[in-house]
Amino acid sequence: PPTKDNSAGLPEFVWRALNSLPVAIAVMVALALLSALGTMIPQEHLEPQPPGVTFEQFLTQRYGAEKYRLLHALGFDHVYFTWYFGVLLTWLAVSAVICNIVRYRSTVKLWRDPPVRRGARFFAADRRSLRYAVSPAENAAAAPALANATPQQAVDAIAEDLRLQGFRVRRVSDGNIEMLYGDSGFIKKWALVVLHVAVLILLFGGMYGRAVGVEGNVRM
């Protein structure tokens, strides 16, 4: 039979990169390093050079002619207006929008329809699982109140106990099988959504201020 091609195309690769946390962190680190250079190296739009001296002469006197030519070629004397700084900032903005959309959708999906159905391997793989830790006989001995209970009564008791402990409980019936799902601290997931929105607000504020804001220098 023909094999399925799992290789991702360019659009899929770009989408994954925009939705990748490691890539976003690398972009933020790059922006931070460039901003640090913009702080250490005088910038043409910020540095008030002495009267009668051009900015080129000012940097040449400070760093020498060869170093100035290198700094100017790399754009380090106007780093905030270079093409690569703009590309990184745009990438971060687009990535923040995409990540926020994806995270919001996944959070809403988990809130409305948590993954209740699990296979046997899920319970056997976790060392915190009662199935992993003890045998059914030992489990019943540890909970004598449920030793003679029907499966329905046992599920009711466990669900009520989880609710009393502050868990959000979801119960699903599948034929003769009763499944319970409980989680606590789901608000942390909504906090991450709010964090992504805050990043978007900061980016929008910076871009809006850069586009329509008023700038000026005052010699002190």
Side-chain angles (χ1 to χ4, degrees):
T3 58
K4 183 179 180 181
D5 185 11
N6 293 323
S7 59
L10 181 60
E12 180 68 17
F13 175 79
V14 173
W15 175 265
R16 291 179 181 178
L18 286 170
N19 195 31
S20 171
L21 180 60
V23 174
I25 292 176
V27 171
M28 287 188 284
V29 170
L31 286 172
L33 293 175
L34 291 174
S35 298
L37 286 175
T39 301
M40 295 184 293
I41 300 174
Q43 299 295 294
E44 187 174 4
H45 69 291
L46 293 176
E47 187 69 21
Q49 60 267 17
V53 179
T54 65
F55 185 70
E56 178 180 350
Q57 294 171 338
F58 172 70
L59 287 188
T60 301
Q61 293 173 1
R62 171 172 290 194
Y63 297 109
E66 293 185 0
K67 289 184 178 180
Y68 166 73
R69 284 195 293 269
L70 178 61
L71 291 174
H72 184 71
L74 295 175
F76 290 165
D77 58 341
H78 54 281
V79 68
Y80 303 111
F81 299 94
T82 55
W83 64 269
Y84 49 83
F85 193 89
V87 168
L88 290 174
L89 196 61
T90 302
W91 180 281
L92 184 61
V94 175
S95 177
V97 172
I98 292 176
C99 289
N100 192 55
I101 293 174
V102 172
R103 181 170 293 278
Y104 175 77
R105 287 180 176 178
S106 62
T107 302
V108 170
K109 182 178 180 180
L110 286 174
W111 177 258
R112 292 178 177 176
D113 187 21
V116 179
R117 292 175 175 81
R118 297 288 187 178
R121 291 182 59 189
F122 171 79
F123 300 98
D126 194 343
R127 292 183 178 274
R128 294 170 296 179
S129 172
L130 287 177
R131 177 175 174 177
Y132 188 100
V134 297
S135 66
E138 293 172 331
N139 198 10
L146 298 178
N148 299 319
T150 64
Q152 185 74 24
Q153 292 172 335
V155 172
D156 292 340
I158 295 173
E160 183 62 25
D161 186 53
L162 288 174
R163 290 192 183 94
L164 291 175
Q165 295 184 48
F167 282 81
R168 183 173 66 107
V169 178
R170 180 178 175 85
R171 184 170 175 173
V172 175
S173 298
D174 187 4
N176 295 326
I177 301 175
E178 292 282 341
M179 291 171 287
L180 287 177
Y181 170 91
D183 64 43
S184 180
F186 198 91
I187 192 173
K188 294 178 182 179
K189 295 186 179 295
W190 289 114
L192 290 175
V193 174
V194 174
L195 175 62
H196 279 70
V197 173
V199 173
L200 290 178
I201 292 174
L202 289 174
L203 287 172
F204 172 77
M207 292 179 178
Y208 181 80
R210 186 71 187 89
V212 302
V214 178
E215 295 181 357
N217 296 323
V218 177
R219 186 181 297 277
M220 302 297 292

